[in-house]
Amino acid sequence: MARKLLEGIRVIDMTVWFTGPLTTQVLADCGAEVIRLGTSTRTQGAGGGGRAINKKSITLNFHSPKGLQLAYKLVAKSDVVVENHAAGTLARRGMGYQDLKKVKPDIIYLSSCMQGQTGPYAAHAAFGHMLTALSGFNQLAGWPDKEPAWLAAYTDFIAPRFHALSILGALEYRRRTGKGQYLDSSQNEGGMQLLAPAILDYTANGRVAERMGNKNLSAAPHNVYPCTGNDEWCAISVFTDAEWRTFCKVIGSPQ
């Protein structure tokens, strides 16, 4: 059997809710040994986004000196720590990056929260559905004559992709230099990467992006159309001249 990419890498998972468990699940799927370390045995969000089928777990009391020392011993034999609590939460418990760097100098420590660990909004704790609105996704989704659409915790599913790539980069950097890294992930900034065209259009041209239903500025036709029959519909998206010519042939009007 082929060796998986992250076999031999141990990850300490101190995450809750979608973004964190999804991040460590990617690492586990790639062969890493993921150990859920927390103050309760429940992996929040596991049932709805971060499967715990191939993770281990241990429960420790960080308020107890003995529990904290046991946690340090585990970190000393690990490679990566992932957490997504509100900024500063784990530092107050003695499990922040500066604490664990003393235990394991080359540790790779990823913190993911709504708006990063520094700045005026760092202490704002929230769930992903609030950040989806803050990032601007809700404002652009839906019909122009109605309220913004509800997209739920969309940014929670964007961030893990950035996290996995960042951790892989940090592991390669450590392989070459012997040094660990602290990775500070702002889910707000990560999510806004997918709004780059709208942001650029506003910055360069002063145009404010608006809701436009099923329309697409890069395609025509682009909509859902009624078909013959009882409540039957067809989605059509035509992006290129070649697709347009094919579409015309399909509907019997090549001219």
Side-chain angles (χ1 to χ4, degrees), residues 218-220 237-247:
S218 302
S237 299
V238 176
F239 284 86
T240 66
D241 290 343
E243 289 179 357
W244 171 251
R245 289 191 292 270
T246 302
F247 171 69

Side-chain angles (χ1 to χ4, degrees), residues 7 13 19 56 214-215:
E7 283 186 20
D13 177 351
T19 294
K56 301 175 182 179
N214 289 331
K215 292 183 179 179

Side-chain angles (χ1 to χ4, degrees), residues 41 55 118 131 168:
T41 56
K55 300 179 185 179
T118 60
L131 195 61
L168 287 176

Side-chain angles (χ1 to χ4, degrees), residues 10 25 51 76 89 131 165 186 196 213 247:
R10 175 177 286 170
Q25 187 61 56
R51 308 184 312 281
T89 298
L131 195 61
L165 290 173
S186 164
F247 171 69

Side-chain angles (χ1 to χ4, degrees), residues 68 72 75 90-104 107 109:
L68 204 55
Y72 290 161
V75 170
L90 290 186
R92 291 191 292 271
R93 298 177 182 175
M95 291 295 289
Y97 174 66
Q98 295 302 329
D99 301 300
L100 301 191
K101 186 179 179 181
K102 297 174 183 177
V103 176
K104 174 78 170 176
I107 195 72
Y109 192 114

Side-chain angles (χ1 to χ4, degrees), residues 16-255:
V16 293
W17 300 111
F18 294 94
T19 294
L22 280 171
T23 297
T24 54
Q25 187 61 56
V26 171
L27 304 179
D29 289 343
C30 290
E33 179 188 24
V34 176
I35 302 175
R36 160 75 183 167
L37 175 60
T39 55
S40 79
T41 56
R42 180 175 57 147
T43 302
Q44 293 175 306
R51 308 184 312 281
I53 56 174
N54 55 354
K55 300 179 185 179
K56 301 175 182 179
S57 64
I58 182 172
T59 304
L60 295 174
N61 182 1
F62 294 158
H63 297 289
S64 161
K66 183 178 180 180
L68 204 55
Q69 288 304 313
L70 288 173
Y72 290 161
K73 288 183 179 180
L74 186 58
V75 170
K77 298 180 180 181
S78 301
D79 302 284
V80 179
V81 172
V82 181
E83 66 95 3
N84 68 322
H85 296 266
T89 298
L90 290 186
R92 291 191 292 271
R93 298 177 182 175
M95 291 295 289
Y97 174 66
Q98 295 302 329
D99 301 300
L100 301 191
K101 186 179 179 181
K102 297 174 183 177
V103 176
K104 174 78 170 176
D106 64 347
I107 195 72
I108 295 167
Y109 192 114
L110 183 139
S111 293
S112 172
C113 65
M114 297 294 99
Q115 300 186 70
Q117 300 294 311
T118 60
Y121 305 112
H124 288 195
F127 290 108
H129 60 275
M130 303 171 192
L131 195 61
T132 301
L134 181 65
S135 298
F137 288 98
N138 287 7
Q139 178 65 21
L140 301 182
W143 301 97
D145 58 341
K146 296 182 179 180
E147 292 295 313
W150 168 252
L151 298 181
Y154 182 57
T155 55
D156 278 355
F157 298 91
I158 297 174
R161 290 156 174 79
F162 287 98
H163 297 164
L165 290 173
S166 298
I167 289 170
L168 287 176
L171 285 168
E172 172 61 15
Y173 177 79
R174 190 184 68 172
R175 185 189 70 81
R176 290 188 287 108
T177 68
K179 298 178 181 179
Q181 284 194 39
Y182 179 59
L183 306 171
D184 178 6
S185 169
S186 164
Q187 293 179 37
N188 185 41
E189 294 179 22
M192 290 172 66
Q193 299 296 316
L194 299 188
L195 292 175
I199 295 172
L200 179 60
D201 194 25
Y202 175 76
T203 303
N205 305 313
R207 283 193 292 262
V208 178
E210 301 290 349
R211 295 183 295 281
M212 53 184 179
N214 289 331
K215 292 183 179 179
N216 189 305
L217 296 178
S218 302
H222 188 283
N223 210 330
V224 179
Y225 301 89
C227 301
T228 301
N230 183 24
D231 194 26
E232 295 185 8
W233 298 78
C234 178
I236 301 175
S237 299
V238 176
F239 284 86
T240 66
D241 290 343
E243 289 179 357
W244 171 251
R245 289 191 292 270
T246 302
F247 171 69
C248 291
K249 290 179 182 179
V250 169
I251 63 175
S253 299
Q255 70 278 10

